[in-house]
Amino acid sequence: MTTDHTPTGLIGASIRRVEDPVLVAGKGCYVDDIQLPGMLYLAFLRTTYPHAKIISINTNAAKAMAGVLAVVTGEDVKQLNIPVAPMVQDQKIPPHPLLARGAVHEAGVAVAAVVAQSRALAQDAAGAIEVEYEALPSVIDAEKALEPGAPLAREELNSNICYVATKKGGDVDTAFAQAEHICRMHIASPRQVALAIEPRGIVVKPEPTGDLTVWLSTQAPHRVRGDLATALGFPEHKIRVIAPDVGGGFGSKGPLYREYVLACHLALKLGRPIKWIATRSEDFVTTIQGRDQAMTSELALKKDGTILGLKVRVVANLGAYLYSSTAGPPQRMMGMAPGSYQIQNCHVEVVAVFTNTTPTGPYRGAGRPESVLNIERLIDKAAKELGLDRLAMRRKNFIRPEQFPYKTGVGVEYDSGDYEKSLAEAMRLSDYDKLIRERDAARGRGELVGVGVSTFVEPSGGAGFESGTVRVERTGEITVLTGSSSHGQGHETSYAQVIADKMHVSMDHVAIRHGDTLAIQQGVGTFGSRSMVMGGGSMTLAAERVIQKARRIAAHLVEAAPEDMMQADGGFAVAGVPEKKVTWRQIAAAAYGGRVPPGMEPGLQETVFFDPRREAWGFGAHVAMVRIDRETGKPTIEKLVLVDDCGVIINPMIVEGQVHGGVAQGLGEALREQMLFGEEGQALTGTLMNYAVMRAGDMPHLTVGETITPNPFNPLGVKGVGEAGTNGAPPAVANAMMDALAPLGIDHIDMPYTAPKLWEAIRQAERRPAARS
Amino acid sequence: MFPASFGYVAAHSVEEAVQLLTKHGEDAKLLAGGHSLIPAMKLRLASPRTLIDLATVPGLRGVRMDGNTLAIGALTVYADVASSELVQKHLPGLVDAASVIGDVQVRNRGTIGGSIAHADPGADFPVILTALNASFVLQPRSGSRTVAADDFFIDFYTTAMAANEVLTEIRVPLPMAGSGTAYVKLPHPASGYVVVSAGALITRQPSGSCALARVALGGLGSGPVRAVATETELQGKPLTPEVIAAAAARAAEETDPEGDTYASAEYKRHVAIVYTRRAIEAAVQRASAS
Amino acid sequence: MAAEIEFAAVPIKVTVNGVKHEAVVEPRTLLVYFLREHLNLTGAHVGCDTSQCGACTIQLNGRAVKSCTILAVQANEAEITTVEGLAREGVLHPVQEGFREKHGLQCGYCTPGMIMTAVSLLETNPNPTEEEIRHGLEGNLCRCTGYINIVESIRWAAEKMGGKNVSR
């Protein structure tokens, strides 16, 4: 018999993706695939000097070129800026113009823009603009930017500090006074480029009605629409933002960017559609970059490994300008500093700094990887200094399952967890003791082999609300409208699984719609591992409301009591009389045909704005084994075991895919990726010729495992998982690398662990008299 | 990114290409596979006014035996060099190099002649072809001339070719009996270009001693450099691991590589020694097996 | 005007997915934009400007190439296959099917290029090892999948094309 509690089996099944038939056929529609009649193309002249005053701009030659419709400079659009709402008290918010006004402060800034009949002509004309600069001294490194006498990144400010924020908990002074040992460490997280393979881009069309239609490669169509309206001074309700297929984002496609506002402004002015697609080189220096936080920490300990207190000073490099989310990662770092450990006595200070570099912001993890790296390296270092087992030390300090909800020393509440469980599973899957024996044997042969572990938490589902609408159409088919739009996460599949399961229909009975502000109620977007927690949560609640209403309609139709109506395959049935069935089609016909119970509104659609007012804290444990070629420094990852707990799993195939992708980016960070700027602020690794990402041949084998600890505060029991790989894998690798180098007396090296860097460290250590192999 | 405007002419013979080059002067460039030139044009690092397409010239593709020389048409793509039975049989070191250039798609399109003429300091073919004592056939306005690899690569992106010459063929003398060839490379993790590479041609006497050693290195200068000290050190000596290691240790002598964001000059010199040893060992192994 | 004659457009003939096309193109037109904007075949994508990412991979005369690094004029008289030309009468090519079966794609942007490279790989090496697959994909970047499932997808396709029993 079918009851309300019988699952249909869709939740938890590895269903093939609904999205794929179109995408594998090359029939997806990304922004650059959109061609409109009369469309014009936008191109930019970007600065030659990252930090300079602009003396003069001569656009005459460009304006005179055939096929050029407009050439504009900062003076022409001086009323337009990127709007930034303060995230932190007393945050300085210097102007963020669309085109440089009087000065440029980083390599990605455009000095002028051209609209022309083709992309090539636009590029030709941009190249014909002459600019005279007076170079100013640059500051690149955030810690150096705090030194007295450092150049000012923004000369209109009196210092390079954007804000200082502090979180304190417990009694840090007493903790440190009572400490039997203090472990100190400085770690810099390398600046990363998100590098979605689809570069950023926009197509904008002014409609005859005065409305504006915008196709945008974005993670957050509604949020961007609001910001766009503010930036343009144009009514929000006349703007329609469509996120078509979006080719990856990883956080970087969250904000409203300068080029988007300018494209809209010029399209309105010229009354023609405009397209702008970033070249890869432009994308490198104009899209928000990730990490670049330097942590100086002190961990107060008892000799038995009990952690008494933690002090962290984070110097966060914000770049030269602020986007809406730039302060996000350092604030997240601050809220996660204690990791998965009971540390009540905390003092965390963030000093957020302007430099003459590309603005930073969320990139897969967005402050989580920095905090995990910091605490996990600290724990390993402390264990080593105290002569303790690093796993025992972790276990001693873990927040215990019965302590949840647990408020940490920085005042953040974790909802639920069982950290011992995921660590135990990682030990089992990796055959940890065997790895240690293998390491010791290799060490005996003079080889550099190391094993590392990280145990971490992963908050997900923040940033306010998400919306979901469930609508049963007249024919009984179900349309779901979600504010959480997809850029590769498989929403159309996972969400359909959830709704089909809840409503007892087949998946092809459900259509998931997203990414169009005209069709979808206000929403937020997809980032921070929030989709299933927030998007899934909101549509589940909406589905429950629809089910409640439908139950009453069904009861009305068969003249039964609503409490006797049970959900059955394809609709409802009377309890104990399964043949007395009412289908969704019949219920919908009644709902729209005036046959609803007395006093009930017609229609069958419910919308929920879901805000659980707490985040979902996933967690996990990763184990890495590495080998370093002593002769060349070349590192190899010999084993990588990833155990993540994201609560209930909707589609294991998709979850595993998220873990794989996160790990690939995390390994890139650990092994090779780093965005570098020269002393003047010029991009040294601003193309794929010199910024190295992982390729197919570089990826090690992964062993992916899981534990399942349902989230008690979510209607689906889920937690996020999208950032697990970037959070847990890099510190596991870092700890393994340092374990491999421990016999040489090497104590800490910052990521990325490139062969030349490791070789240099090995060589220096071997030259030290104390070193032994 | 889009190249600046240019005119396009398809040449139908080498003579016509030479005539067109002469006519258009310095503003013209020859186009083969385009895998060096087109990326440079897209970034507007090169903006020729005229491209003269050589792909439409018949007879410049393929590998053939010409007496004791392997002749490779300038328009032969990397993949076809790597898969040529003649090259596989006689010059495995050249297969090593042709197999690690760029990626599959690049090897399907890039030509050996284009790589040689472009003379990128990060290219693979110049290094192995120097080790193999290859020479290059150039066709000026009348007749033709041949330049040895040792004399061909002058500086960064600069060769002994005159502005109105066309490179038509790469000629590699077949190594003597008892020879082995090999090429090993440390690629840049992003671009795949040479950070450091080593190509070796070793001829081993039946006694086991070294009759001839030619070793060329990439990544240490403006083009391929011969590891003269290493070659001298090997000459006449038994090819034992110790002798090879000692000779390889001198590979980076008198080189002065530039450090970059990936690798320091010191690292490059160090890796040159390691890779020289590995290339010689591989060549010796092949010599022994032949 | 002299400049216009000097940079004169060039007539080309190409066969794309079995269909003959004649066009007159500006010499600087890159093949990828010719396919995308003149023929409306938008499956080949542009992901970089330095010939690294492989999202634009197509087959030119039977070989996988990067269409962003080839001029349309160089494709004169050529036979081209794009991702749109793989399916036969609505039935996906086994490689396309493999990508769906094994979750070899997420955002889908690199996918057409990956698939075209994989198709070429299996044409020259019908039964590649995992190592050979990974090596064969060195010219294609994916930022979503970590390549793990892409390799699985191609193995699935190889088995299917070999007529062996393929388990899901």
Side-chain angles (χ1 to χ4, degrees):
Chain A
M1 197 188 97
T2 307
T3 74
D4 275 13
H5 303 290
T6 303
T8 61
L10 286 170
I11 289 182
S14 285
I15 310 267
R16 293 178 307 165
R17 297 203 321 171
V18 173
E19 293 87 341
D20 291 352
V22 168
L23 297 176
V24 298
K27 290 178 180 162
C29 180
Y30 301 86
V31 171
D32 198 14
D33 299 340
I34 293 162
Q35 287 200 67
L36 301 175
M39 194 162 72
L40 302 172
Y41 296 83
L42 179 61
F44 292 89
L45 175 70
R46 300 200 187 267
T47 181
T48 8
Y49 293 90
H51 191 198
K53 277 187 203 164
I54 295 171
I55 306 300
S56 68
I57 307 175
N58 184 343
T59 60
N60 292 339
K63 281 178 174 157
M65 288 170 76
V68 172
L69 282 93
V71 181
V72 292
T73 67
E75 285 307 305
D76 301 317
V77 289
K78 61 182 170 199
Q79 75 282 16
L80 299 177
N81 289 286
I82 291 295
V84 179
M87 266 182 114
V88 183
Q89 212 180 357
D90 299 327
Q91 181 181 359
K92 285 182 214 162
I93 302 183
H96 189 165
L98 306 184
L99 297 170
R101 285 196 296 260
V104 294
H105 302 99
E106 44 100 352
V109 173
V111 176
V114 175
V115 180
Q117 278 167 349
S118 78
R119 291 186 228 232
L121 286 174
Q123 195 187 334
D124 290 348
I129 297 167
E130 288 171 12
V131 185
E132 201 186 330
Y133 301 93
E134 183 188 318
L136 294 169
S138 295
V139 62
I140 307 307
D141 181 285
E143 291 183 296
K144 285 186 184 153
L146 295 173
E147 288 171 5
L152 287 174
R154 296 294 303 253
E155 51 283 349
E156 62 267 61
L157 304 178
N158 56 15
S159 92
N160 288 322
I161 296 177
C162 174
Y163 69 84
V164 177
T166 309
K167 275 200 181 179
K168 278 185 205 167
D171 184 350
V172 180
D173 292 340
T174 306
F176 275 80
Q178 290 173 349
E180 293 165 357
H181 180 74
I182 295 173
C183 175
R184 296 182 170 85
M185 180 164 240
H186 180 274
I187 299 183
S189 60
R191 186 182 276 236
Q192 303 286 291
V193 177
L195 230 147
I197 303 293
E198 182 206 22
R200 292 192 297 109
I202 181 173
V203 169
V204 49
K205 179 175 179 248
E207 303 288 353
T209 54
D211 289 3
L212 202 56
T213 305
V214 178
W215 290 264
L216 199 63
S217 181
T218 181
Q219 299 175 220
H222 283 94
R223 256 188 8 185
V224 163
R225 180 175 70 151
D227 286 347
L228 184 59
T230 305
L232 289 169
F234 190 88
E236 183 182 357
H237 63 289
K238 284 170 161 273
I239 303 174
R240 176 184 185 186
V241 173
I242 300 168
D245 287 321
V246 174
F250 316 112
S252 73
K253 287 178 181 168
L256 174 72
Y257 283 97
R258 304 182 278 236
E259 297 88 355
Y260 303 163
V261 183
L262 195 68
C264 292
H265 170 75
L266 292 170
L268 285 168
K269 203 172 149 194
L270 296 168
R272 298 266 297 269
I274 287 180
K275 177 186 275 191
W276 173 77
I277 305 292
T279 64
R280 176 56 58 194
S281 308
E282 272 182 307
D283 201 88
F284 257 98
V285 290
T286 61
T287 300
I288 50 170
Q289 299 176 346
R291 319 283 188 260
D292 207 349
Q293 297 183 16
M295 285 78 70
T296 309
S297 305
E298 290 181 275
L299 195 63
L301 298 138
K302 289 210 287 194
K303 285 221 165 88
D304 67 357
T306 306
I307 300 172
L308 298 173
L310 172 68
K311 289 188 211 168
V312 188
R313 182 176 195 246
V314 184
V315 178
N317 193 334
L318 302 182
Y321 300 88
L322 298 176
Y323 281 106
S324 52
S325 55
T326 294
Q331 292 307 102
R332 173 62 80 182
M333 156 78 218
M334 185 153 77
M336 276 180 69
S340 39
Y341 309 103
Q342 302 179 45
I343 311 178
Q344 284 302 322
N345 305 313
C346 275
H347 183 273
V348 186
E349 179 187 59
V350 169
V351 185
V353 178
F354 290 113
T355 62
N356 298 110
T357 62
T358 302
T360 55
Y363 163 59
R364 205 164 193 165
R368 296 166 184 81
E370 294 91 321
S371 70
V372 177
L373 179 70
N374 191 52
I375 192 74
E376 290 305 298
R377 284 288 302 122
L378 264 174
I379 298 275
D380 258 35
K381 187 163 186 274
K384 198 174 149 202
E385 287 172 0
L386 291 170
L388 298 172
D389 177 76
R390 54 197 176 167
L391 299 185
M393 187 166 154
R394 283 177 169 82
R395 290 188 172 116
K396 182 184 269 295
N397 291 285
F398 272 154
I399 301 164
R400 293 188 308 276
E402 67 274 14
Q403 289 178 296
F404 292 100
Y406 180 87
K407 197 169 223 173
T408 69
V410 290
V412 174
E413 193 172 276
Y414 296 2
D415 58 344
S416 59
D418 187 347
Y419 307 151
E420 182 68 50
K421 188 165 69 173
S422 53
L423 178 59
E425 178 64 2
M427 298 298 100
R428 187 188 73 79
L429 273 180
S430 62
D431 205 344
Y432 181 80
D433 293 335
K434 185 165 159 258
L435 293 186
I436 296 295
R437 286 196 300 275
E438 285 174 15
R439 176 201 68 185
D440 291 344
R443 230 172 236 184
R445 297 189 297 268
E447 296 166 19
L448 300 175
V449 174
V451 177
V453 176
S454 72
T455 52
F456 58 93
V457 287
E458 187 197 356
S460 58
F465 73 96
E466 192 51 273
S467 68
T469 293
V470 174
R471 180 167 75 223
V472 183
E473 308 287 9
R474 287 166 186 273
T475 53
E477 271 121 14
I478 295 157
T479 300
V480 178
L481 310 175
T482 172
S484 162
S485 64
S486 174
H487 45 286
Q489 296 87 350
H491 285 14
E492 289 165 35
T493 307
S494 306
Y495 286 163
Q497 283 177 254
V498 167
I499 296 303
D501 186 278
K502 296 286 170 203
M503 298 182 75
H504 293 241
V505 297
S506 63
M507 270 177 73
D508 58 12
H509 223 74
V510 180
I512 305 297
R513 306 295 180 191
H514 60 86
D516 183 347
T517 61
L518 185 65
I520 316 291
Q521 66 288 343
Q522 275 290 355
V524 177
T526 290
F527 48 85
S529 303
R530 73 195 299 275
S531 297
M532 194 47 77
V533 176
M534 301 297 292
S538 58
M539 68 181 65
T540 299
L541 295 176
E544 283 171 5
R545 287 189 198 168
V546 168
I547 291 164
Q548 277 175 27
K549 184 171 180 180
R551 185 192 307 275
R552 289 175 58 206
I553 298 172
H556 180 67
L557 291 176
V558 295
E559 297 179 341
E563 51 276 18
D564 289 339
M565 298 307 294
M566 309 303 278
Q567 277 191 269
D569 190 17
F572 290 82
V574 178
V577 198
E579 65 278 8
K580 213 168 178 187
K581 211 170 152 182
V582 190
T583 64
W584 280 110
R585 189 184 181 106
Q586 290 167 323
I587 296 167
Y592 297 110
R595 287 179 292 123
V596 294
M600 181 187 276
E601 249 181 53
L604 200 48
Q605 166 171 332
E606 296 290 341
T607 297
V608 168
F609 283 74
F610 176 54
D611 182 357
R613 299 190 179 276
R614 62 160 71 239
E615 289 190 300
W617 290 74
F619 54 94
H622 293 180
V623 179
M625 184 176 197
V626 304
R627 176 182 294 273
I628 303 168
D629 177 16
R630 213 168 181 137
E631 191 170 39
T632 61
K634 186 185 172 192
T636 312
I637 294 184
E638 306 228 306
K639 197 169 189 83
L640 193 54
V641 174
L642 315 141
V643 174
D644 294 297
D645 191 320
C646 60
V648 172
I649 294 174
I650 306 297
N651 184 322
M653 177 191 82
I654 288 177
V655 165
E656 193 164 299
Q658 286 293 315
V659 172
H660 290 168
V663 167
Q665 289 177 326
L667 292 181
E669 178 172 359
L671 299 176
R672 46 174 57 179
E673 291 184 43
Q674 185 168 25
M675 182 70 200
L676 295 169
F677 296 92
E679 278 180 17
E680 278 82 47
Q682 72 279 24
L684 299 179
T685 53
T687 75
L688 281 169
M689 293 287 280
N690 35 39
Y691 185 89
V693 298
M694 298 296 275
R695 291 172 184 269
D698 304 319
M699 281 298 289
H701 280 269
L702 308 180
T703 306
V704 179
E706 74 202 16
T707 59
I708 295 177
T709 309
N711 177 353
F713 302 101
N714 182 275
L716 290 165
V718 297
K719 297 178 177 183
V721 74
E723 293 155 307
T726 47
N727 294 345
V733 170
N735 281 337
M737 291 282 180
M738 293 312 112
D739 187 44
L741 296 175
L744 298 175
I746 293 169
D747 186 57
H748 180 73
I749 306 172
D750 281 327
M751 302 191 298
Y753 301 116
T754 65
K757 191 194 265 187
L758 291 171
W759 175 79
E760 182 61 36
I762 292 166
R763 195 180 58 136
Q764 285 189 7
E766 283 175 340
R767 282 180 182 171
R768 280 198 301 268
R772 60 176 189 85
S773 60
Chain B
M1 292 221 154
F2 308 89
S5 286
F6 58 85
Y8 170 86
V9 200
H12 298 284
S13 67
V14 175
E15 292 72 23
E16 189 188 354
V18 174
Q19 275 171 18
L20 287 164
L21 270 179
T22 309
K23 178 182 159 197
H24 290 283
E26 301 244 314
D27 290 338
K29 282 252 184 215
L30 292 174
L31 177 66
H35 271 45
S36 301
L37 184 57
I38 294 172
M41 289 172 66
K42 282 165 70 179
L43 297 171
R44 304 213 174 178
L45 300 172
S47 298
R49 287 181 74 80
T50 307
L51 284 190
I52 301 159
D53 197 349
L54 281 179
T56 39
V57 176
L60 294 180
R61 281 188 179 79
V63 183
R64 66 190 169 89
M65 193 69 90
D66 183 6
N68 282 327
T69 299
L70 214 59
I72 306 171
L75 257 59
T76 311
V77 298
Y78 312 149
D80 290 350
V81 173
S83 64
S84 154
E85 284 178 17
L86 286 172
V87 178
Q88 287 177 356
K89 184 174 174 206
H90 298 288
L91 300 169
L94 188 55
V95 177
D96 292 344
S99 312
V100 295
I101 303 171
D103 51 52
V104 176
Q105 295 97 312
V106 168
R107 294 194 288 274
N108 278 338
R109 190 71 195 161
T111 67
I112 185 168
S115 170
I116 298 300
H118 189 61
D120 190 304
D124 298 87
F125 274 136
V127 181
I128 185 65
L129 289 170
T130 299
L132 296 178
N133 200 18
S135 55
F136 308 124
V137 180
L138 307 178
Q139 195 158 323
R141 201 187 292 238
S142 61
S144 71
R145 67 181 184 121
T146 301
V147 180
D150 280 337
D151 304 323
F152 185 81
F153 301 102
I154 310 280
D155 205 342
F156 295 100
Y157 306 101
T158 309
T159 70
M161 278 173 77
N164 58 355
E165 284 183 320
V166 176
L167 170 61
T168 58
E169 196 169 77
I170 289 85
R171 296 179 67 82
V172 192
L174 293 189
M176 286 178 286
S179 296
T181 61
Y183 179 77
V184 291
K185 168 193 191 177
L186 174 68
H188 188 280
S191 68
Y193 278 77
V194 168
V195 175
V196 171
S197 71
L201 160 61
I202 306 290
T203 307
R204 189 172 169 276
Q205 285 175 335
S207 65
S209 65
C210 177
L212 170 82
R214 280 182 69 94
V215 177
L217 301 173
L220 300 185
S222 63
V225 288
R226 289 272 299 279
V228 180
T230 299
E231 293 174 358
T232 312
E233 186 87 22
L234 286 173
Q235 194 69 42
K237 296 222 179 96
L239 289 161
T240 62
E242 297 72 29
V243 167
I244 293 169
R250 302 189 59 189
E253 279 181 15
E254 289 176 39
T255 63
D256 186 18
E258 297 249 332
D260 55 41
T261 55
Y262 177 64
S264 66
E266 256 181 326
Y267 185 71
K268 289 182 183 180
R269 286 165 57 94
H270 170 73
V271 169
I273 291 168
V274 176
Y275 277 52
T276 296
R277 193 191 74 223
R278 292 180 185 177
I280 295 169
E281 281 172 350
V284 168
Q285 201 174 14
R286 284 173 177 163
S288 312
S290 70
Chain C
M1 217 173 96
E4 278 171 18
I5 295 162
E6 193 186 352
F7 301 146
V10 177
I12 59 167
K13 288 182 197 174
V14 287
T15 304
V16 183
N17 301 332
V19 180
K20 288 185 177 152
H21 296 272
E22 293 189 19
V24 177
V25 296
E26 212 189 337
R28 64 166 155 174
T29 307
L30 298 168
L31 181 56
V32 66
Y33 286 107
F34 175 74
L35 295 169
R36 290 175 52 80
E37 295 180 353
H38 292 243
L39 304 185
N40 291 317
L41 293 168
T42 55
H45 297 146
V46 178
C48 76
D49 46 16
T50 52
S51 316
Q52 305 281 310
C53 80
C56 64
T57 301
I58 58 158
Q59 276 190 348
L60 184 78
N61 296 328
R63 290 182 174 204
V65 297
K66 293 182 173 175
S67 62
C68 73
T69 312
I70 296 174
L71 301 169
V73 291
Q74 290 180 288
N76 190 25
E77 306 287 349
E79 295 256 356
I80 289 171
T81 305
T82 70
V83 70
E84 291 95 336
L86 289 180
R88 293 269 174 270
E89 290 162 8
V91 179
L92 293 179
H93 186 284
V95 173
Q96 292 173 307
E97 213 184 327
F99 271 68
R100 185 174 185 216
E101 289 292 335
K102 292 292 173 188
H103 192 28
L105 67 151
Q106 291 182 25
C107 82
Y109 196 78
C110 76
T111 309
M114 283 284 178
I115 287 176
M116 293 311 292
T117 302
V119 166
S120 289
L121 172 71
L122 295 182
E123 281 170 4
T124 50
N125 182 359
N127 194 18
T129 62
E130 182 187 332
E131 191 61 34
E132 287 168 338
I133 295 173
R134 289 179 180 273
H135 185 65
L137 296 177
E138 65 192 328
N140 293 76
L141 293 181
C142 170
R143 197 64 165 160
C144 293
T145 64
Y147 308 97
I148 311 281
N149 287 342
I150 291 178
V151 174
E152 289 296 308
S153 302
I154 297 170
R155 270 152 67 127
W156 187 95
E159 283 184 36
K160 167 130 193 193
M161 290 163 82
K164 287 182 203 158
N165 192 19
V166 179
S167 63
R168 274 182 197 168

